[in-house]
Amino acid sequence: MALQAGHVWHPRQTAEQIFLTAPVDLCCGEPDSQSTQELISAVGLADVICTSYVLHENEASLCSRPASCTQQSQLLLGGALPVLFRAARAGAAVLFLDATHRLWPALAATAAASVPYEEDGDGFDMLVPQGLNAH
């Protein structure tokens, strides 16, 4: 697939610049697990990180309410998501494509809790599309 993508995007992008990573266990947040270590390594090098249809499918395993959460309405997602947010380098695009919008607030809260905003510009900008196709 990298060869095909390199052919389509040549000369701006060659096959050597394209890395496709096999799926990892999104529900595993254990820092020493092989899945988490592979995720950290791949995400730290990526310009674009994309998750497709995994939030709602793994909702029961990802949902957690840490003791530090003072508002009952603020649900934080666990598993590998906090690790993903911390591993993403500045300027990387992290895309979540899902069948429902139900977990967007929890996803935003998880990103904010994982990488606190600092005055020097660290943190995340979030765009949630509006309209007919943005359920």
Side-chain angles (χ1 to χ4, degrees):
M1 189 183 290
L3 288 174
Q4 185 178 20
H7 177 71
V8 169
W9 293 101
H10 186 74
R12 292 182 180 226
Q13 189 171 45
T14 64
E16 294 81 26
Q17 296 170 307
I18 300 169
F19 299 95
L20 304 173
T21 303
V24 297
D25 184 0
L26 187 67
C27 297
C28 177
E30 297 297 322
D32 295 329
S33 75
Q34 181 179 352
S35 180
T36 301
Q37 291 303 311
E38 289 176 7
L39 178 76
I40 291 169
S41 177
V43 167
L45 297 172
D47 294 321
V48 178
I49 299 106
C50 183
T51 66
S52 298
Y53 303 101
V54 295
L55 294 181
H56 76 283
E57 291 175 354
N58 294 291
E59 181 175 0
S61 294
L62 294 174
C63 290
S64 62
R65 289 188 188 276
S68 62
C69 180
T70 57
Q71 298 176 355
Q72 289 296 327
S73 63
Q74 184 182 11
L75 178 69
L76 297 178
L77 301 176
L81 289 173
V83 173
L84 183 147
F85 289 124
R86 286 190 296 271
R89 60 185 184 75
V94 183
L95 307 174
F96 289 88
L97 310 172
D98 223 278
T100 178
H101 67 290
R102 188 176 61 251
L103 293 176
W104 293 152
L107 187 65
T110 302
S114 300
V115 182
Y117 175 78
E118 296 179 7
E119 290 297 322
D120 65 1
D122 287 345
F124 290 94
D125 292 329
M126 183 171 180
L127 171 67
V128 178
Q130 303 295 315
L132 295 176
N133 294 327
H135 23 84

